[in-house]
Amino acid sequence: MSEPTNPPLVPESQIERVARRLKIMGDPVRLQLLNLLRVHGEMNVQELVDTSGQRQANVSKHLGILMREGLVSRRKEGVKAFYSLDDPSLPGICVLVTNQLETGNAAAT
């Protein structure tokens, strides 16, 4: 086998964590919620339900997953919980993937 010419995509010690993060981000409903939080900033559950068209139970379930993974944070104000993005790498990751998909689609036509 020849000498490696490129660094690995992911350090061997981080493969499980990176795979988990990408899996969490790979759900369409979670991506939709992350998009809404990016565009609108902090939002409460009802605002996310109204804006996304998803059911309240579904939104709450996905927000819990995103929060456990450290992608969003929650702030309580009285009986309402407000959510916001909590991972500064999210916009960059999504832009890279989106740009590559657009470039790949343009090349395929």
Side-chain angles (χ1 to χ4, degrees), residues 5-7 18 20 34 37 41 48 51 56-58 60 66-67 71-72 74 81 88 92-93 104 107:
T5 57
N6 295 309
V18 171
R20 178 174 170 78
L34 292 170
L37 292 172
L48 287 164
T51 308
Q56 191 272 332
N58 199 30
S60 293
L66 292 168
M67 202 168 75
L71 298 176
V72 300
R74 178 177 65 193
I93 292 168

Side-chain angles (χ1 to χ4, degrees), residues 26-102:
D27 182 276
V29 173
R30 290 193 282 267
L31 276 178
Q32 181 186 27
L33 296 174
L34 292 170
N35 264 347
L36 290 170
L37 292 172
R38 169 73 171 170
V39 170
H40 299 286
E42 187 178 72
M43 297 176 78
N44 66 44
V45 174
Q46 189 59 54
E47 291 169 330
L48 287 164
V49 167
D50 293 344
T51 308
S52 70
Q54 300 292 325
R55 295 165 52 125
Q56 191 272 332
N58 199 30
V59 168
S60 293
K61 175 186 84 170
H62 286 293
L63 286 171
I65 292 167
L66 292 168
M67 202 168 75
R68 280 191 301 278
E69 191 62 26
L71 298 176
V72 300
S73 61
R74 178 177 65 193
R75 177 181 67 82
K76 293 278 231 168
E77 188 175 292
V79 296
K80 290 187 176 182
F82 292 86
Y83 293 85
S84 58
L85 292 183
D86 199 30
D87 183 339
S89 71
L90 286 173
I93 292 168
C94 292
V95 165
L96 285 172
V97 172
T98 301
N99 286 348
Q100 182 58 38
L101 290 173
E102 289 173 354

